[in-house]
């Protein structure tokens, strides 16, 4: 009887902190006390551990057990600590080797029958353990493929507490059990959509390629049936595959939000399209005892599409303003703070009025001017100031539709080739800076640094800035788009025509 220690991981956002799991067995009335700032689901671990240990042949019901999760000031939640608590307690009771568990990080939830259940967030947890110097991690069998995505770590899969105890030197007879496996994560059908499905709308297609090449945000305004949703759904097909760092981050987010079998890194950019009834917490994340990421976080390194954007709550839309600038979402609560990546491309789509028929030929709009203004004003000025490309999309007339249907159309593969070529130019330009996209480069690079353009090139923008009440943010965003236009054209730097095209795109006119 004594004290035994092992380790586990507490996640805060995508970052993880190592937690020492200590267990002490002392004389006294039988009880099991868990301390160390656990939440409700974690506090219930005492009942799961007692039942699992008893059904694994090591009853702890007649012992006085104190389990501590240290540091005590760090909030901890979830059932991922169950396996560590159980093995530390069994080591304190002399049933397994204290030295063996001390050199292993344990992650997993226990069932009452002693089986180990898969949990959310295994990938970021194992990655955090590896970053902290851990070299051996024990996980549920259902999380094995996901845990092995982290290099340099010896991953030990277990299907039951008895098997885990045997791995740590416990004198138990092996008993074969059916492991609890996680359901495979279903593939996303959005990857199958091709830009060649879009008939006509050449200006909007060009805007998508510009957005993909520079990482810019897009706003489509047009009546129902103009193809706004079709265009937005095909933006991910124009984006290149994710590199190793981005793929690991995107997969970690999926691991944190979807309980499923993730066997390989996410290579294609994610796509999120929440319903317009979504709250601010659903968009950016929230929660009380446990902070969960929202759609903007799940869209990291991909696309967040808000269809019928004026129908969203203004509070929810304005919650996106900060991550659009910083690429990060920080959610604070009284006892904890979680930080999530949020480098997504925002695509907004809106009808011109509540009935959607304003400006449509051969249709009569029933909305008065005041109602139309109020409808579009639900998209606040500060939010729209962060949108680089603002384009009007019209329905095609029958004759235009027939003519466009016979014309050759750009495929997603062809468009992605243009995007990859332009991005390669930008990467070479930003080599050694840590930046890769024009849309994510700090503003001072364009106004004071190497990207500052001569007056003769920016003359039109200077006039526009003075006469159209443009903000400095809008000024810089025009310059970012101008550099992307130059990259697509193969120019070494933007000319006056590229700056003029960027101004036109911001004003809703084709470049």
């Amino acid at each position: 009887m004594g004290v035994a220690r092992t380790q586990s991981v507490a996640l805060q956002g995508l970052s993880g902190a190592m937690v020492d799991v200590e267990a002490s067995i002392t004389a006294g009335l039988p009880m099991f006390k868990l301390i160390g700032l656990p939440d409700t689901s974690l506090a219930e671990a005492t009942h799961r551990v007692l039942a699992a240990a008893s059904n694994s042949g090591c009853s702890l019901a007649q012992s006085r057990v104190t389990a501590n999760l240290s540091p005590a000031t760090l909030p901890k939640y979830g059932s991922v600590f169950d396996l560590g608590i159980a093995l530390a307690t069994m080591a304190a009771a002399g049933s397994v080797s204290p030295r063996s568990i001390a050199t292993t990080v344990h992650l997993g939830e226990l069932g009452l029958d002693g089986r180990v259940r898969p949990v959310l967030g295994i990938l970021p947890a194992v990655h955090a353990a590896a970053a902290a110097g851990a070299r051996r991690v024990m996980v549920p069998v259902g999380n094995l493929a996901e845990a092995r995505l982290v290099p340099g770590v010896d991953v030990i899969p277990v299907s039951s507490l008895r098997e885990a105890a045997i791995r740590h030197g416990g004198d138990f007879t092996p008993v074969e059990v059916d492991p609890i496996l996680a359901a495979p994560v279903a593939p996303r059908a959005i990857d199958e959509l091709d830009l060649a499905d879009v008939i006509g709308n050449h200006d909007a297609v060009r805007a998508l390629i510009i957005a993909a090449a520079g990482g810019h945000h897009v706003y489509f305004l047009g009546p129902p049936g103009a193809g706004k949703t079709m265009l937005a759904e095909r933006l991910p097909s124009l984006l290149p595959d994710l590199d190793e760092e981005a793929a690991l981050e995107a997969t970690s987010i999926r691991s944190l939000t979807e309980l499923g079998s993730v066997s390989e890194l996410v290579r294609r950019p994610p796509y999120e399209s929440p319903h317009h009834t979504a709250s601010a917490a659903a968009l950016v994340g929230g929660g009380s005892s446990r902070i969960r990421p929202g759609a903007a976080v799940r869209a990291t390194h991909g696309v967040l599409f808000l269809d019928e954007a004026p129908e969203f709550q203004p509070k929810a839309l304005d919650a996106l303003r900060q991550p659009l600038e910083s690429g990060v979402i920080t959610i604070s609560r009284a006892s904890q703070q979680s930080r999530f990546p949020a480098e997504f491309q925002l695509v907004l789509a809106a009808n011109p009025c509540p009935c959607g028929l304003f400006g449509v030929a051969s249709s009569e709009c029933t909305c008065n001017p005041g109602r139309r203004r109020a409808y579009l004003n639900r998209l606040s000025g500060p939010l729209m100031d962060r949108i680089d490309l603002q384009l009007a999309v019209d329905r095609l007339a029958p004759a235009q539709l027939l003519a466009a249907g016979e014309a050759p159309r750009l495929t997603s593969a062809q468009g992605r080739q243009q995007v990859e070529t332009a991005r390669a130019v930008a990467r070479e330009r930003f080599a050694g800076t840590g930046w890769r996209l024009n849309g994510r480069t700090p503003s001072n690079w364009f106004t004071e640094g190497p990207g500052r353009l001569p007056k003769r090139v920016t003359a039109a923008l200077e006039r526009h800035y003075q006469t159209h009440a443009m903000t400095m943010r809008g000024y810089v965003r025009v310059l970012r788009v101008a550099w992307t236009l130059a990259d697509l054209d193969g120019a070494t730097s933007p000319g006056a025509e590229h700056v003029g095209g960027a101004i036109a795109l911001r004003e809703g006119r084709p470049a």
Side-chain angles (χ1 to χ4, degrees):
M1 302 294 182
V3 178
R5 297 179 178 85
T6 187
Q7 286 189 310
S8 192
V9 178
L11 288 176
Q12 291 186 301
L14 277 194
S15 60
M18 300 303 295
V19 172
D20 290 326
V21 182
E22 303 173 304
S24 173
I25 296 181
T26 57
L29 295 175
M31 65 172 294
F32 198 130
K33 181 67 174 178
L34 179 62
I35 58 178
L37 206 60
D39 73 339
T40 302
S41 62
L42 179 52
E44 294 171 348
T46 57
H47 304 292
R48 294 192 294 270
V49 168
L50 287 174
S54 177
N55 290 318
S56 297
C58 181
S59 177
L60 302 170
Q62 303 304 313
S63 306
R64 183 181 183 88
V65 180
T66 302
N68 178 46
L69 305 178
S70 179
T73 55
L74 179 70
K76 307 165 192 74
Y77 56 84
S79 55
V80 70
F81 300 95
D82 286 7
L83 185 59
I85 293 170
L87 289 169
T89 305
M90 294 173 70
S95 301
V96 299
S97 167
R99 179 175 296 180
S100 179
I101 69 163
T103 58
T104 306
V105 176
H106 296 92
L107 306 165
E109 176 185 336
L110 291 177
L112 299 185
D113 59 356
R115 289 189 295 174
V116 185
R117 309 180 67 88
V119 293
L120 290 169
I122 281 291
L123 179 57
V126 174
H127 186 265
R135 290 295 171 262
R136 189 165 65 163
V137 180
M138 184 173 284
V139 302
V141 168
N143 292 128
L144 173 61
E146 185 178 330
R148 282 182 172 168
L149 293 176
V150 180
V153 179
D154 180 19
V155 180
I156 305 172
V158 291
S159 56
S160 67
L161 179 59
R162 176 186 286 262
E163 181 183 351
I166 294 173
R167 293 283 191 127
H168 288 301
D171 187 16
F172 298 94
T173 302
V175 175
E176 186 175 347
V177 300
D178 293 327
I180 302 176
L181 303 177
V185 176
R188 296 172 298 127
I190 196 71
D191 287 342
E192 301 173 1
L193 302 179
D194 196 283
L195 195 62
D197 300 333
V198 179
I199 299 176
N201 284 323
H202 302 297
D203 295 332
V205 169
R206 172 67 173 169
L208 282 184
I209 293 174
I210 296 168
H216 304 293
H217 310 301
V218 189
Y219 171 58
F220 290 128
L221 176 67
K228 304 185 295 295
T229 301
M230 174 179 278
L231 289 162
E233 289 176 342
R234 282 150 182 80
L235 178 55
S237 70
L238 296 174
L239 301 177
D241 289 344
L242 303 182
D243 59 24
E244 287 295 323
E245 181 181 354
L248 179 60
E249 198 165 61
T251 311
S252 295
I253 293 170
R254 178 172 289 191
S255 169
L256 200 61
T257 56
E258 300 181 31
L259 183 58
S261 177
V262 179
S263 58
E264 58 185 16
L265 293 177
V266 174
R267 292 295 181 180
R268 294 299 302 140
Y271 174 87
E272 290 289 329
S273 180
H275 192 261
H276 62 257
T277 55
S279 64
L283 277 183
V284 299
S288 52
S289 60
R290 180 175 181 177
I291 298 176
R292 298 179 182 275
V297 177
R298 298 194 300 272
T300 294
H301 303 302
V303 177
L304 175 64
F305 174 48
L306 303 186
D307 199 7
E308 306 292 348
E311 300 292 344
F312 281 79
Q313 301 174 22
K315 180 181 177 181
L317 291 172
D318 286 339
L320 296 173
R321 285 155 51 179
Q322 182 264 341
L324 284 176
E325 290 290 329
S326 65
V328 173
I329 289 176
T330 302
I331 303 173
S332 299
R333 295 293 182 266
S335 60
Q336 60 179 309
Q337 184 180 82
S338 294
R339 181 183 174 94
F340 297 100
E343 288 195 8
F344 57 88
Q345 283 187 250
L346 178 63
V347 180
L348 301 176
N351 293 329
C353 64
C355 77
L357 298 178
F358 179 70
V360 178
S362 71
S363 298
E364 183 178 353
C365 173
T366 59
C367 307
N368 60 50
R371 192 178 178 205
R372 290 197 295 268
R373 284 195 300 271
Y375 180 73
L376 293 180
N377 282 344
R378 291 173 66 88
L379 303 176
S380 69
L383 174 65
M384 295 304 296
D385 198 32
R386 291 163 166 82
I387 307 300
D388 305 321
L389 313 177
Q390 304 179 23
L391 204 69
V393 183
D394 297 321
R395 291 180 185 170
L396 294 180
Q400 293 175 310
L401 192 62
L402 290 174
E406 297 174 356
R409 297 194 291 272
L410 189 73
T411 66
S412 290
Q414 293 169 333
R416 192 189 302 176
Q417 182 60 53
Q418 296 181 32
V419 169
E420 289 176 344
T421 301
R423 287 194 173 198
V425 173
R427 279 197 305 271
E428 184 177 352
R429 179 169 62 247
F430 298 132
T433 66
W435 312 317
R436 292 173 294 178
L437 296 175
N438 295 316
R440 287 291 177 189
T441 303
S443 59
N444 59 1
W445 190 89
F446 300 97
T447 57
E448 302 171 4
R452 184 174 182 177
L453 300 175
K455 290 287 188 181
R456 58 180 174 78
V457 174
T458 61
L461 180 57
E462 300 287 350
R463 291 193 298 270
H464 197 84
Y465 178 73
Q466 295 173 5
T467 59
H468 287 72
M470 177 182 281
T471 65
M472 181 52 69
R473 178 188 290 114
Y475 181 95
V476 173
R477 287 190 174 275
V478 168
L479 293 175
R480 287 176 171 143
V481 175
W483 276 96
T484 300
L485 291 173
D487 292 341
L488 285 167
D489 287 347
T492 55
S493 66
E497 69 279 9
H498 297 120
V499 174
I503 295 173
L505 284 166
R506 187 169 178 84
E507 291 183 338
R509 296 182 281 113

